[in-house]
Amino acid sequence: MPRLILKNADQIAEVIPLSRLRTTIGRSARSDVCIPDAFASRLHAEVRKEGDSYWLQDLGSANGTRYNGTPVKSSTPLNSGGEIQIGETSIIFDEEKIANISSSTLITDGTDALDPSQTISFQLRRLPTSELLQGQFSSRNELLGLISKVGVALLASTGLDETLNQVASLVFEAVPAERCVIMLRDETDGSMKIRIARIRGKEETIDEVRVSRTVMDEVLKNGKSVLTADAQHDPRFASQTMALSGIRSVLAVPLSVDERNIFGLIYADSPTYEATFSEEHLNILTTLASVASIRVENAALLEERLDRERLEHELELATEIQQRFQPAGPPELSGYEFQGISFSCYEIGGDYYDFIERHDGHMLIALGDVSGKGTAAALLMSSLHAAIHAQVSTESSLANIVTSVNRYLAENTPANRFVTLFVAELDPTTGKLSYINAGHNPPLIARANGAIEQLSSGGFPLGIIPGAEFELGEMQLGTGEALVIYSDGVSEANNLEGEEFGMERLEAVVKSNLKASASGLRDKVESALSAFTKTAPANDDITLVIVKRI
């Protein structure tokens, strides 16, 4: 995996794997790579993956970024061994493959069994191998052969279902049972669920299974093994279930790796008079269960880990797809500076921002905030992105774009989901901004004379009323003035005491830093936000878009 090797002024190296589509570098704690360099901007630079290549881009830093000694003015391709210089920090881009070290799991063949203490049920007690070999089986070689066969067979198994099927097959080989049922505890609700139910000589699973509740309680609650040679007349286990099923002989043993944690059971029965179970059959099945318990638990853990890894992989793909929706970099337009940044409070988020150049040379600037957080919000955000781009390609007016997107979202999203959106169209020649605010936080206009104006709402959020109408506003952006658009993750960010950052603080930061560049203003807002929230966790996605006329 490609990686960044950081070296600061003290020549202390740190290795950062490039596992993300976009990796931000800067002094801010929100950056993916945080460098404590006084000459670095808070959001300084970004390494972005494009296909199989990696590119470096400066994010409008105050002191600039160098690559192999040359100032970075635009997206620059990275080569293995290339040096990125940020202030006094040197960062080497390395594409060398990192060795993949795999580890094997050693599965020991447990050979403990149960010591029968009663005629019907037997208290769970594990015995050492030496004790097992002392006369409990017809021959020493028979027991050793069983343990060896079970260990080898289960070692070859992989998934949980395959392991359990292998255990059921071994049960039929070891004892004269006609039916085998294996039950495991469901971790979600603690109940016992049938995982395997088979009849001797058949591979398919039994559709309907009846197992005596009394037998299950004896094994799972009391930790005992069960043996009865005549279940129909046994006063402890005679029941309607046994009578209806015609069961005569029953064996049941727990699955556990220790006496306190019984996570399942192996149940075997036979309806015939010819095949009755004996104490030796119980000992054999108990030995099999002792060896199998370790493998079954390992297989269950492996299944959980594979499921978790699959979900993590899908989440990584979703994150990468969502990051591709964000602009690769700010547009270049003579007389203007553009900056946008977004931080999700989860792996994926519901905030959307965009810069879209129109057919007539105008620039469309958008920032949307989907209700909710996480995966559901991200899916709706992707629909918003696609709908806006589709409408822009038709060369529709701004009002028609918003009306069409609203109708699409209202007809295709749940009633409890909506999107707030601020979208503006900039005429770069005149500085005229036409805008629609669909229920979004009022963006700020920082005037050259120090005044701060708010662009109020012009309609309902998108996705609520299919035929909603939206008010079109207009304003003029003069030289030295800035438009600041933000999501509520900025204004409603909480500190450790639960106090909100609020509009007053945001307006004060913008007003006092209006002379800075768009990237400098962005950094000042982010810095003030970080200083206010300190270590308090983000409670919403944070997105900021700045347009400045220079």
Side-chain angles (χ1 to χ4, degrees):
M1 177 184 295
R3 54 187 181 172
L4 298 177
I5 303 175
L6 278 67
K7 291 183 180 180
N8 57 25
D10 298 326
Q11 294 299 306
I12 300 175
E14 180 183 2
V15 177
I16 309 292
L18 289 174
S19 58
R20 298 168 57 88
L21 176 71
R22 308 174 73 161
T23 302
T24 55
I25 307 170
R27 199 158 37 86
S28 169
R30 290 191 177 90
S31 297
D32 298 316
V33 180
C34 181
I35 53 175
D37 191 311
F39 297 98
S41 296
R42 297 188 63 80
L43 300 169
H44 195 105
E46 177 182 76
V47 174
R48 182 184 178 95
K49 183 180 180 183
E50 294 287 352
D52 294 329
S53 302
Y54 286 83
W55 296 72
L56 173 67
Q57 181 171 319
D58 185 86
L59 295 179
S61 64
N63 295 312
T65 304
R66 290 179 174 270
Y67 180 62
N68 290 334
T70 303
V72 175
K73 299 298 184 183
S74 59
S75 291
T76 303
L78 295 176
N79 297 313
S80 187
E83 182 181 16
I84 303 168
Q85 189 73 36
I86 296 177
E88 296 182 340
T89 303
S90 174
I91 305 174
I92 304 298
F93 174 72
D94 182 17
E95 280 192 298
E96 181 180 348
K97 301 288 185 181
I98 299 175
N100 224 349
I101 302 174
S102 60
S103 58
S104 301
T105 303
L106 177 63
I107 303 175
T108 58
D109 292 339
T111 54
D112 298 338
L114 303 175
D115 183 24
S117 58
Q118 301 179 23
T119 305
I120 301 299
S121 57
F122 300 85
Q123 184 63 43
L124 180 65
R125 183 170 75 87
R126 295 196 175 277
L127 301 178
T129 305
S130 58
E131 204 169 323
L132 277 167
L133 295 174
Q134 293 177 0
Q136 291 191 16
F137 293 82
S138 55
S139 74
R140 177 189 182 95
N141 289 337
E142 180 184 337
L143 176 60
L144 289 174
L146 171 67
I147 295 174
S148 175
K149 186 172 185 178
V150 171
V152 170
L154 295 182
L155 190 62
S157 300
T158 52
L160 181 59
D161 289 339
E162 182 183 345
T163 298
L164 295 177
N165 266 304
Q166 186 68 58
V167 171
S169 298
L170 291 168
V171 169
F172 289 130
E173 289 187 35
V175 298
E178 290 299 315
R179 188 174 70 155
C180 175
V181 177
I182 301 177
M183 305 180 73
L184 297 181
R185 193 177 302 281
D186 190 332
E187 294 298 329
T188 57
D189 57 13
S191 63
M192 298 301 298
K193 300 291 178 65
I194 294 175
R195 294 297 301 262
I196 294 294
R198 284 174 48 189
I199 296 176
R200 177 181 291 275
K202 296 183 179 181
E203 294 295 329
E204 60 269 19
T205 301
I206 307 171
D207 293 332
E208 185 174 322
V209 179
R210 292 176 178 266
V211 177
S212 167
R213 172 60 60 182
T214 309
V215 172
M216 289 179 57
D217 288 346
E218 191 76 359
V219 174
L220 299 172
K221 293 183 179 180
N222 301 328
K224 296 181 179 181
S225 296
V226 171
L227 162 64
T228 177
D230 190 355
Q232 299 289 328
H233 300 94
D234 192 316
R236 291 198 180 192
F237 302 110
S239 65
Q240 187 177 11
T241 299
M242 295 291 191
L244 290 174
S245 303
I247 302 302
R248 176 172 177 80
S249 297
V250 172
L251 286 174
V253 296
L255 286 169
S256 67
V257 291
D258 60 65
E259 297 179 8
R260 297 179 300 276
N261 181 27
I262 299 173
F263 61 82
L265 64 85
I266 299 177
Y267 170 92
D269 63 26
S270 176
T272 64
Y273 280 86
E274 291 80 7
T276 57
F277 298 141
S278 64
E279 184 178 327
E280 184 174 359
H281 292 137
L282 179 67
N283 288 332
I284 292 173
L285 189 61
T286 302
T287 302
L288 191 155
S290 297
V291 179
S293 291
I294 300 173
R295 184 65 186 93
V296 170
E297 185 174 63
N298 284 347
L301 293 173
L302 176 62
E303 189 175 79
E304 292 177 8
R305 181 173 65 83
L306 292 176
D307 285 343
R308 186 172 62 252
E309 288 178 351
R310 177 181 57 81
L311 291 174
E312 289 174 352
H313 178 63
E314 290 180 356
L315 188 59
E316 287 175 1
L317 289 177
T319 303
E320 180 174 335
I321 291 171
Q322 187 178 46
Q323 287 182 340
R324 289 190 184 277
F325 289 154
Q326 297 180 7
E332 295 183 2
L333 196 60
S334 179
Y336 295 87
E337 292 178 341
F338 300 87
Q339 284 294 331
I341 199 74
S342 185
F343 300 100
S344 299
C345 64
Y346 298 144
E347 285 81 358
I348 52 179
D351 281 4
Y352 157 76
Y353 79 92
D354 219 339
F355 305 109
I356 309 172
E357 187 173 356
R358 305 211 64 188
H359 63 283
D360 56 3
H362 289 191
M363 184 67 67
L364 200 72
I365 304 109
L367 194 156
D369 188 353
V370 177
S371 62
K373 304 177 185 67
T375 305
L379 288 172
L380 185 50
M381 187 277 277
S382 65
S383 295
L384 173 66
H385 175 276
I388 290 178
H389 277 258
Q391 289 300 317
V392 170
S393 67
T394 65
E395 301 183 3
S396 298
S397 67
L398 184 61
N400 287 339
I401 289 174
V402 175
T403 300
S404 299
V405 171
N406 172 65
R407 184 181 300 110
Y408 168 77
L409 292 177
E411 293 173 353
N412 294 280
T413 57
N416 63 340
R417 293 286 179 179
F418 60 87
V419 177
T420 66
L421 175 72
F422 178 87
V423 57
E425 183 173 356
L426 171 67
D427 181 345
T429 304
T430 63
K432 176 184 173 183
L433 270 173
S434 303
Y435 66 90
I436 290 176
N437 189 341
H440 196 73
N441 305 82
L444 304 179
I445 295 291
R447 296 300 186 185
N449 61 7
I452 301 291
E453 300 175 7
Q454 294 187 8
L455 301 181
S456 59
S457 175
F460 285 103
L462 306 184
I464 299 177
I465 303 175
E469 296 182 357
F470 300 90
E471 178 185 347
L472 182 68
E474 293 183 354
M475 53 83 60
Q476 193 75 24
L477 191 65
T479 302
E481 297 180 342
L483 167 67
V484 179
I485 320 169
Y486 57 94
S487 65
D488 54 13
V490 176
S491 58
E492 298 177 8
N494 292 331
N495 61 13
L496 295 170
E497 288 73 38
E499 183 183 4
E500 282 190 356
F501 185 69
M503 289 297 299
E504 290 184 6
R505 289 185 178 87
L506 179 59
E507 290 182 7
V509 175
V510 172
K511 184 175 182 178
S512 60
N513 293 281
L514 181 57
K515 292 184 178 180
S517 63
S519 58
L521 183 55
R522 173 206 63 198
D523 283 2
K524 291 296 184 180
V525 173
E526 193 279 332
S527 176
L529 197 62
S530 295
F532 176 78
T533 57
K534 293 185 172 64
T535 58
N539 53 16
D540 203 351
D541 304 330
I542 294 173
T543 304
L544 191 65
V545 170
I546 296 172
V547 179
K548 184 172 183 182
R549 189 172 185 181
I550 54 178

